[in-house]
């Protein structure tokens, strides 16, 4: 049975993974970076934030239609295709919603803050590449922001000496700049060629040495060889992302030889003169006299801004969502400042995968969900519930990063929804960018689905030669 015949109108999302000859496929939208209404016009708005759910992609509580979004991340050789996960910090270019619809995301940039080995653990604080990372488990009064999502491990103590990728927000801790993590993911062992990355403020820049430009990020000394790519305008105080390889790092000397240095900037306001800019993060350097503060190092003026709730007051380390419409003199002028409520809550929409009824858990969109006697199931009959069912999950993000389900709704799959299928690849037609996937549905029926991919499709691991090309071929 062909995919087009059974679920015509499904969108194709942009990743697939092969394990032991089987392929897990997530089907949703694969955008090509085309602008307004497919005309190539620039998106109207941009912003940064934390992924707090899926349905399509939810960023700080706002659902974006990602059916046409291109998802990318920076790499040593340039941009590469990527995928979106819970707790990631992302920037998004989007078109404002019309009527009751969702904003339409055109480009989502996934940019992790740190990637390297955990060198030290002290309670809720980690050290990675010399940088201080604080974890929010929701248990400390006064610590705001999304609960840190953990993947690949359950306790911080298990991370000693392990390689991780971290998404985080910059915040002042006294006189020091540190990172508060929104997501920490174990990434396995690092080889000499494995990518490492560090994000931070440039200090002690030595630009006079033409052979090796050097600067500091916290206690880490970074050198840039003449052959390395570096953003123009490198200066003290600039927020940069440094890409290198594990072999380029000397932990004993606390030095890193950079292969690429990128300036981290507020999403470009130049994409549209009428653009709306949305920024989220933890307030630092609050100055009530001048009515300014910083978010991830970006200066924000809030004179005249509308606060939600109206009684809200600012303080350092408060998590805020800022909407602005103008920039100048290095400062963003806020139109509104929102203090989100219930940051530990989340929602997930998608296909149930890996159901373990004994352990009381399953996955939706790559996120583990835990259920129990306190979980309410609605419209979930015996025939509708199980792996392969389409559900909406509402719950709380626990300190482990697992979602504790409060309510689970079973629904029929509809056009435009993100769904997942698991099965064996029977054949590949590389020229047509399609393959046939043998899938067994939850009723035990076997169906052969024709799946197509595009230039924006993200493969978690390359297909073997007999199953087709890797992404980008």
């Amino acid at each position: 049975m062909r995919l087009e015949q059974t679920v015509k109108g499904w969108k194709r999302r942009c990743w697939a993974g092969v394990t032991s000859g089987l392929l897990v496929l997530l089907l949703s939208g694969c955008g090509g970076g085309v602008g307004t209404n497919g005309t190539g016009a620039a998106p109207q708005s941009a912003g940064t934030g934390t992924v707090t759910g899926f349905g399509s992609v939810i960023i700080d509580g706002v659902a974006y239609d990602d059916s046409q979004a291109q998802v990318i991340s920076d790499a040593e050789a340039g941009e590469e295709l990527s995928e979106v996960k819970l707790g990631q910090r992302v920037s998004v270019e989007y078109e404002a919603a019309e009527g009751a619809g969702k904003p339409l995301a055109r480009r989502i940039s996934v940019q992790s803050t740190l990637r390297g080995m955990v060198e030290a653990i002290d309670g809720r604080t980690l050290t990675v590449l010399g940088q201080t990372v604080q974890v929010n488990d929701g248990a400390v009064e006064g610590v705001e922001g999304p609960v840190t999502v953990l993947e690949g491990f359950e306790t911080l103590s298990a991370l000693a000496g392990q390689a991780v990728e971290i998404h985080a927000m910059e915040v002042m801790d006294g006189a020091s700049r540190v990172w508060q993590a929104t997501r920490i993911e174990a990434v396995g062992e690092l080889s000499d060629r494995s990518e490492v990355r560090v994000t931070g403020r440039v200090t002690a820049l030595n630009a006079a040495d033409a052979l090796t430009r050097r600067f500091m990020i916290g206690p880490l000394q970074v050198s840039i060889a003449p052959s390395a790519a570096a953003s123009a305008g490198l200066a003290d105080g600039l927020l940069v992302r440094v890409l290198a390889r594990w072999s380029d790092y000397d932990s004993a000397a606390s030095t890193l030889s950079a292969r690429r240095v990128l300036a981290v900037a507020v999403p470009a306001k130049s994409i549209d003169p009428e653009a709306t800019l949305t920024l989220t993060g933890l307030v630092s350097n609050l100055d009530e006299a001048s009515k300014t503060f910083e978010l991830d190092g970006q200066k924000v003026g809030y004179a005249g801004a509308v606060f939600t709730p109206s009684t809200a007051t600012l303080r350092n380390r408060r998590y805020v969502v800022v909407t602005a419409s103008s920039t100048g003199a290095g400062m963003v002028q806020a139109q509104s400042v929102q203090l989100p409520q219930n940051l530990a809550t989340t929602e997930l929409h998608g296909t149930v995968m890996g159901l373990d009824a004994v352990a009381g858990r399953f996955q939706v969109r790559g996120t583990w969900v835990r259920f129990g006697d306190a979980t309410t199931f609605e419209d979930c009959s015996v025939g509708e519930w199980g792996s392969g069912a389409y559900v909406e999950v509402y719950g709380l993000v626990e300190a482990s990063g697992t979602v504790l389900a409060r309510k689970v709704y079973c629904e029929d799959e509809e056009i435009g929804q993100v769904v997942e299928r698991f099965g064996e690849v029977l054949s590949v037609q590389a020229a047509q960018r399609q393959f046939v996937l043998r899938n067994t549905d939850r009723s035990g029926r076997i169906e052969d689905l024709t799946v197509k991919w595009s230039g924006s499709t993200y493969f978690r691991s390359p297909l073997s030669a007999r199953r087709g090309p890797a992404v980008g071929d």
Side-chain angles (χ1 to χ4, degrees):
M1 184 178 300
R2 297 295 186 182
L3 179 65
E4 296 92 339
Q5 295 172 339
T6 57
V7 283
K8 185 178 180 181
W10 264 355
K11 304 171 185 177
R12 287 163 287 135
R13 161 57 83 222
C14 309
W15 66 255
V18 178
T19 306
S20 299
L22 297 180
L23 182 142
V24 184
L25 181 70
L26 174 65
L27 302 165
S28 144
C30 290
V34 180
T36 305
N37 297 323
T39 64
Q44 297 175 345
S45 305
T48 62
T50 306
V51 177
T52 54
F54 291 102
S56 301
V57 171
I58 301 173
I59 302 174
D60 291 301
V62 177
Y64 292 82
D65 178 356
D66 66 338
S67 62
Q68 300 179 52
Q70 183 182 50
V71 181
I72 60 96
S73 65
D74 285 328
E76 179 187 327
E79 291 182 347
E80 63 182 18
L81 295 171
S82 187
E83 61 178 315
V84 179
K85 298 180 180 180
L86 192 68
Q88 288 177 333
R89 292 286 290 175
V90 299
S91 62
V92 57
E93 297 176 11
Y94 63 95
E95 298 172 17
E98 295 184 4
K102 300 175 183 177
L104 179 62
R106 290 298 188 180
R107 179 181 170 92
I108 300 174
S109 179
V110 178
Q111 305 300 351
S112 61
T113 306
L114 296 162
R115 195 175 196 273
M117 199 78 74
V118 175
E119 298 159 344
I121 302 175
D122 183 6
R124 297 181 177 89
T125 301
L126 310 178
T127 302
V128 177
L129 296 175
Q131 312 306 303
T132 300
V133 181
Q134 298 175 347
V135 175
N136 178 18
D137 61 6
V140 179
E141 185 177 355
V143 176
E144 295 191 4
V147 173
T148 305
V149 174
L150 310 180
E151 182 173 322
F153 61 99
E154 295 185 356
T155 62
L156 292 181
S157 60
L159 285 180
Q162 301 300 308
V164 294
E165 184 168 75
I166 297 175
H167 290 254
M169 303 172 289
E170 187 184 42
V171 65
M172 295 299 295
D173 185 14
S176 302
R177 294 183 185 271
V178 300
W179 296 101
Q180 181 171 308
T182 58
R183 178 183 175 86
I184 303 176
E185 180 178 351
V187 295
E189 296 184 2
L190 295 177
S191 68
D192 285 348
R193 295 182 60 83
S194 295
E195 179 193 281
V196 297
R197 64 173 57 199
V198 58
T199 306
R201 297 279 160 186
V202 173
T203 61
L205 174 65
N206 177 12
D209 187 341
L211 293 178
T212 306
R213 294 163 288 173
R214 296 188 301 274
F215 59 89
M216 303 295 292
I217 295 181
L220 178 68
Q221 179 179 280
V222 179
S223 61
I224 314 172
S227 60
S231 297
L234 194 64
D236 282 343
L238 185 68
L239 183 64
V240 297
R241 180 177 297 113
V242 177
L243 305 180
R245 296 180 184 176
W246 181 238
S247 60
D248 299 326
Y249 177 55
D250 185 337
S251 59
S254 193
T255 60
L256 181 69
S257 178
R259 294 176 182 260
R260 193 176 183 205
V261 179
L262 302 169
V264 180
V266 171
K269 287 284 293 174
S270 60
I271 58 174
D272 191 308
E274 304 299 323
T276 296
L277 183 64
T278 303
L279 302 174
T280 72
L282 296 166
V283 172
S284 291
N285 291 330
L286 175 63
D287 186 336
E288 294 180 334
S290 64
K291 293 191 178 299
T292 62
F293 58 84
E294 290 184 7
L295 285 183
D296 271 352
Q298 171 63 49
K299 192 172 184 179
V300 178
Y302 65 91
V306 176
F307 279 74
T308 303
S310 59
T311 57
T313 58
L314 289 177
R315 61 172 173 79
N316 285 323
R317 300 200 73 144
R318 174 144 278 178
Y319 190 76
V320 297
V321 177
V322 171
T323 302
S325 61
S326 63
T327 59
M331 186 171 72
V332 171
Q333 185 62 45
Q335 288 184 321
S336 67
V337 179
Q338 178 186 358
L339 277 65
Q341 306 298 309
N342 301 319
L343 286 170
T345 62
T346 188
E347 62 180 280
L348 305 169
H349 302 231
T351 306
V352 173
M353 302 291 286
L355 173 64
D356 185 338
V358 176
R361 67 175 192 166
F362 57 87
Q363 280 190 312
V364 174
R365 297 290 295 267
T367 300
W368 280 107
V369 177
R370 185 167 66 88
F371 62 92
D373 294 340
T375 305
T376 301
F377 289 82
E378 296 192 15
D379 300 322
C380 296
S381 66
V382 175
E384 293 175 329
W385 171 241
S387 292
Y390 189 87
V391 296
E392 292 185 16
V393 177
Y394 297 86
L396 297 173
V397 180
E398 300 180 300
S400 65
T402 298
V403 173
L404 174 60
R406 287 181 168 178
K407 291 186 177 181
V408 178
Y409 298 87
C410 293
E411 297 185 336
D412 294 330
E413 293 173 348
E414 296 180 359
I415 291 175
Q417 291 177 323
V418 175
V419 299
E420 296 180 61
R421 293 294 182 263
F422 177 87
E424 182 179 2
V425 177
L426 300 182
S427 62
V428 176
Q429 297 81 45
Q432 291 75 33
R433 289 186 172 181
Q434 66 182 36
F435 57 86
V436 176
L437 179 74
R438 175 154 291 176
N439 171 73
T440 303
D441 65 20
R442 62 181 183 276
S443 67
R445 183 184 61 174
I446 296 176
E447 54 184 357
D448 293 345
L449 309 176
T450 298
V451 182
K452 296 182 179 180
W453 74 83
S454 75
S456 293
T457 301
Y458 172 69
F459 287 87
R460 283 184 171 174
S461 57
L463 292 174
S464 65
R466 71 183 183 87
R467 293 186 177 87
V471 170
D473 289 358

